[in-house]
Amino acid sequence: MLDVFFTIDVEVWCNGWKNIDERFANAFDRYIYGTTPQGQFGLPYQMKVMNDHGLTSVCFIEPLFSARFGQQPLDEIVALVREAGHEPQLHMHPEWVDEARTPLLEGMQGKRPNMRDYTVAEQTSLIASGLQMLERAGAPNINAFRAGSFGFNRDTLEALAANGIAYDCSYNTTLFGQSSGVRPGETVWWPFECAGVYEYPMTVFDDGTGKLRHVQLTACSFAEIEKLLWTALEAGHQSFVMLSHSFELLNGGSRDRSDPVTINRFRKFCAFMEKNRDSFRVRGFQGMQPEVAVQPPPLLRSPIWRTGMRMAEQVYRRRYR
């Protein structure tokens, strides 16, 4: 049995930092509900499709935006997740810190976009603030975290441990993972313990070009995901961590229309997981007993011809941008 974590980063952006108060309402509708002329394809849609197949996601909810726009929008997001029976966890994009109406950090000026841009004391304080925001919104007992843009470092893990958070999903070896100071000199794709926190990295694979790619709906074809799941199971991997966003099923440009290719991938994935629930367990972090690999499992690989098929599919997707 392979544990599969379908993680959704739930976040709101105003497509820039000018006139954000005037733009917020439309941005919230777009990034959370995914409203388009074709219908709504945001977070509620993803959770409903998963529920229809008996699946549960991990929703990493970004709360710092509420320091600018108030508690009600965050309350609304948490209510959506909890009422749908999915798992709320903590996600943080500290780009919002200098936008707060009441300072989150003393003397904060300008953008520091990644958690790794802050000291361990500052990270500890920000994480505590994020936990308080989610608790006020109705999501207590948070036990997992993901840094925005995967921009974490070893200090982040120390800050998580100080706040009683047992699990982290910030390690992505295709982005900041290898420069994070966590297991320096290694390329990591398996669960491990560091600084009192259990790290569950993004699942990555060699796509046949010698480059690593993380598993994400907009970045991989369903054929790739299906084959990687079977390969991970057969190779004895303990976990398979996938990435989505609340706006994942919208086009990648102005996010003003649906993306039928990605929607099709998502629906195929959900149907596949339901059909093969005897082999794959889609789960969250609550109530989990962590397992740390004694020996690293083999790196997942996908043949170049399958990568070529995905590239052709991605070209087709551009018609929806």
Side-chain angles (χ1 to χ4, degrees), residues 97-118:
V97 172
D98 68 320
E99 304 291 344
R101 297 191 184 278
T102 299
L104 296 171
L105 292 174
E106 290 299 325
M108 178 68 188
Q109 293 182 346
K111 298 292 179 193
R112 283 192 271 164
N114 297 305
M115 291 295 289
R116 63 193 282 150
D117 299 328
Y118 298 79

Side-chain angles (χ1 to χ4, degrees), residues 12 24-36 40 42 250:
V12 182
F24 176 73
N26 286 335
F28 185 87
D29 186 55
R30 184 179 305 117
Y31 280 84
I32 300 303
Y33 289 96
T35 301
T36 74
Q40 291 188 326
L250 304 187

Side-chain angles (χ1 to χ4, degrees), residues 266-313:
F266 174 60
R267 298 190 71 93
K268 283 184 175 180
F269 166 78
C270 292
F272 172 84
M273 298 307 290
E274 180 182 22
K275 180 181 178 181
N276 295 284
R277 62 174 64 252
D278 58 334
S279 298
F280 305 104
R281 176 172 49 203
V282 181
R283 63 166 307 156
F285 292 95
Q286 294 291 347
M288 192 171 75
Q289 295 297 319
E291 293 185 46
V292 176
V294 176
Q295 188 171 5
L299 175 65
L300 299 176
R301 300 181 186 278
S302 185
I304 188 68
W305 64 264
R306 191 171 280 121
T307 296
M309 293 181 66
R310 181 241 303 154
M311 293 175 69
E313 191 175 274

Side-chain angles (χ1 to χ4, degrees), residues 4 23 84 140 145 150-151 153 171 180 183 192 213 252 257 268 281 292 297 318:
V4 178
R23 299 160 77 177
F145 174 83
F150 302 101
N153 59 10
Y171 192 104
S180 65
R183 300 187 72 135
F192 60 91
R213 191 173 189 85
R257 59 186 299 185
K268 283 184 175 180
R281 176 172 49 203
V292 176
R318 291 175 187 165

Side-chain angles (χ1 to χ4, degrees), residues 15-239:
N15 297 332
W17 298 104
K18 295 181 178 179
N19 303 317
I20 60 175
D21 298 302
E22 292 80 6
R23 299 160 77 177
F24 176 73
N26 286 335
F28 185 87
D29 186 55
R30 184 179 305 117
Y31 280 84
I32 300 303
Y33 289 96
T35 301
T36 74
Q38 298 80 34
Q40 291 188 326
F41 296 93
L43 179 63
Y45 175 87
Q46 290 186 58
M47 293 191 297
K48 181 183 184 306
V49 173
M50 294 192 77
N51 285 348
D52 289 344
H53 292 279
L55 308 175
T56 303
S57 70
V58 178
C59 294
F60 283 106
I61 301 172
E62 204 296 309
L64 295 184
F65 78 92
S66 66
R68 175 69 179 224
F69 300 111
Q71 188 69 26
Q72 187 279 325
L74 181 59
D75 291 347
E76 187 172 338
I77 292 172
V78 171
L80 288 172
V81 173
R82 291 181 63 86
E83 289 169 8
H86 292 242
E87 184 177 282
Q89 297 290 3
L90 176 61
H91 184 47
M92 293 183 70
H93 274 279
E95 294 99 318
W96 287 107
V97 172
D98 68 320
E99 304 291 344
R101 297 191 184 278
T102 299
L104 296 171
L105 292 174
E106 290 299 325
M108 178 68 188
Q109 293 182 346
K111 298 292 179 193
R112 283 192 271 164
N114 297 305
M115 291 295 289
R116 63 193 282 150
D117 299 328
Y118 298 79
T119 67
V120 64
E122 289 172 330
Q123 292 192 54
T124 301
S125 178
L126 287 175
I127 290 167
S129 295
L131 289 172
Q132 291 170 4
M133 292 171 180
L134 286 182
E135 185 168 8
R136 285 197 299 269
N141 305 316
I142 297 296
N143 73 335
F145 174 83
R146 173 176 286 151
S149 303
F150 302 101
F152 86 125
N153 59 10
R154 186 184 175 91
D155 289 347
T156 311
L157 301 185
E158 295 182 11
L160 292 173
N163 279 284
I165 296 181
Y167 299 98
D168 181 63
C169 281
S170 301
Y171 192 104
N172 185 341
T173 197
T174 69
L175 292 173
F176 291 108
Q178 294 189 55
S179 62
S180 65
V182 175
R183 300 187 72 135
E186 294 185 74
T187 301
V188 186
W189 55 83
W190 60 91
F192 60 91
E193 186 274 336
C194 180
V197 174
Y198 292 97
E199 182 67 43
Y200 276 68
M202 280 296 306
T203 294
V204 297
F205 64 100
D206 183 331
D207 68 0
T209 67
K211 294 181 180 179
L212 296 182
R213 191 173 189 85
H214 67 251
V215 180
Q216 180 176 355
L217 281 176
T218 54
C220 303
S221 67
F222 171 71
E224 286 176 307
I225 294 171
E226 179 183 22
K227 181 61 176 177
L228 290 167
L229 282 164
W230 286 121
T231 302
L233 177 66
E234 293 163 3
H237 284 238
Q238 295 168 302
S239 66

